Amino acid sequence: MAAQLFDGQALAKAMRKEIDAEIAAFKEEYHITPTIAVVRAGEDPASVSYAGAIQRSFEARGLGFQMHALPEDISEADFLAQVTRLNQDSAIHGIMIQEPIPKGIRSEVITEALSPLKDIDGVHPVNAGRLAQAAPTGRPPEVFDFFVPATPAGGLEILKRYNIPIAGQHAVIVGRSRIVGKPMALLLLRENATVTLCHSRTRDLAAICRQADIICAAVGQPRLIRAEMVRPGAAVIDFGVNFVDDKMVGDVDFDGVQAVAGWITPVPGGTGPMTNIMLLRNVLEAARRQLSS
Ligand code: NDP
């Protein structure tokens, strides 16, 4: 039997209504517009296009959007000065630094310069560290107020909203980037899954994937996860965005895997729309925390 679809598009549409209500309530209470500042150096086409998508979604919801496009040959000191200005600007509630950061600028220096309170991408060591330290759900929380990168947060939201069991399940995450794979592993661990985190040096990826109740692919290699790597009935979350002959495909071989899996995200229309929603949420939450701190 073919897998059921995790319809990220439909879920995002439903969640937009929830967010609209939250934004309206927030504006009524505080009389300010939660605003994101996106910072980019250079004109990388994928970054330009992603910034455009963020702008459209923020403006459509009545949230503020500022683009800070810096020259590609900007010095690290000038880049840092821009981040500091945004940290200090009380009209900005969330800051997103777009990759790629030009050669010669240390991305860790820029990341650490961000105010953790405005780091809506969850990349500052304070936020990433707090996620790593967070207690499993069901235990008293010792660590509060951190941001989780929007893409894995969206993946978890899909699993939860479709009532996929997580606690006690074996989740295999393929890819360990700081923005997708690693935080996804930590989120699922927090939800009491048994987590295996795979990467380019993992031996016999297929055998490990076949043990998974939940597979999350965040690799950047078209159709790496094939049907023979998937246990019948598994839930498959595909974060991959790749282009093959101008067609967008994920890291999962959708046509093959859907015949075996129990649930699967399509690409496009799966995790992508949810990333956008979680980013809106993070900015709203950042504004809330800044006003109450
Ligand atoms: P990175 O390139 O930062 O990380 C890729 C990861 O995959 C690395 O950990 C790497 O291992 C691992 N890897 C590479 N080849 C293999 C292999 N053959 N077997 C197992 N693991 C492998 O990518 P990102 O995490 O930034 O992005 C992953 C994908 O998600 C991309 O397609 C990207 O476009 C997409 N993406 C989607 C978003 C969305 O909203 N849906 C948002 C952000 C990204 P190692 O660490 O050993 O090098």
Side-chain angles (χ1 to χ4, degrees), residues 46-113:
S47 299
V48 172
S49 147
Y50 185 37
I54 296 173
Q55 176 166 15
R56 286 190 294 280
S57 69
F58 272 65
E59 290 179 350
R61 316 247 80 72
L63 298 182
F65 173 91
Q66 283 188 13
M67 184 69 230
H68 296 266
L70 310 173
E72 194 162 9
D73 60 355
I74 190 167
S75 68
E76 187 175 282
D78 287 346
F79 202 126
L80 279 174
Q82 180 63 41
V83 171
T84 304
R85 271 193 294 278
L86 294 169
N87 282 342
Q88 291 166 350
D89 184 345
S90 61
I92 299 294
H93 306 97
I95 305 171
M96 173 189 257
I97 310 287
Q98 285 198 290
E99 302 275 353
I101 291 176
K103 284 195 180 64
I105 298 183
R106 292 165 296 171
S107 84
E108 69 278 15
V109 170
I110 301 299
T111 301
E112 288 183 28

Side-chain angles (χ1 to χ4, degrees), residues 50 150-152 173-182 197-202 205 217-222 224-225 229 238-242 249-251 267 270-276:
Y50 185 37
T151 300
I173 320 301
V174 190
R176 58 173 164 183
S177 72
R178 66 177 183 156
I179 197 86
V180 193
K182 208 179 282 177
L197 184 51
C198 302
H199 45 79
S200 66
R201 307 278 187 95
T202 296
L205 181 66
V219 181
Q221 287 195 19
L224 177 78
I225 309 296
M229 299 166 77
D238 188 354
F239 292 112
V241 177
N242 310 287
V249 300
D251 291 343
V267 175
T271 54
M274 291 300 288
T275 293
N276 197 280

Side-chain angles (χ1 to χ4, degrees), residues 39 62 78 117 129 145 204 224 230 235-236 292:
V39 183
D78 287 346
L117 271 179
D145 287 357
D204 206 350
L224 177 78
V230 177
V236 179
S292 59

Side-chain angles (χ1 to χ4, degrees), residues 157-214:
E157 195 73 21
I158 290 176
L159 290 170
K160 285 187 158 183
R161 297 224 174 198
Y162 277 90
N163 295 317
I164 302 300
I166 301 176
Q169 301 294 97
H170 186 190
V172 171
I173 320 301
V174 190
R176 58 173 164 183
S177 72
R178 66 177 183 156
I179 197 86
V180 193
K182 208 179 282 177
M184 189 68 198
L186 290 168
L187 284 171
L188 290 169
L189 187 62
R190 197 170 156 223
E191 297 295 327
N192 300 303
T194 301
V195 174
T196 303
L197 184 51
C198 302
H199 45 79
S200 66
R201 307 278 187 95
T202 296
R203 267 188 285 135
D204 206 350
L205 181 66
I208 295 173
C209 286
R210 273 195 298 272
Q211 297 170 23
D213 302 299
I214 298 169

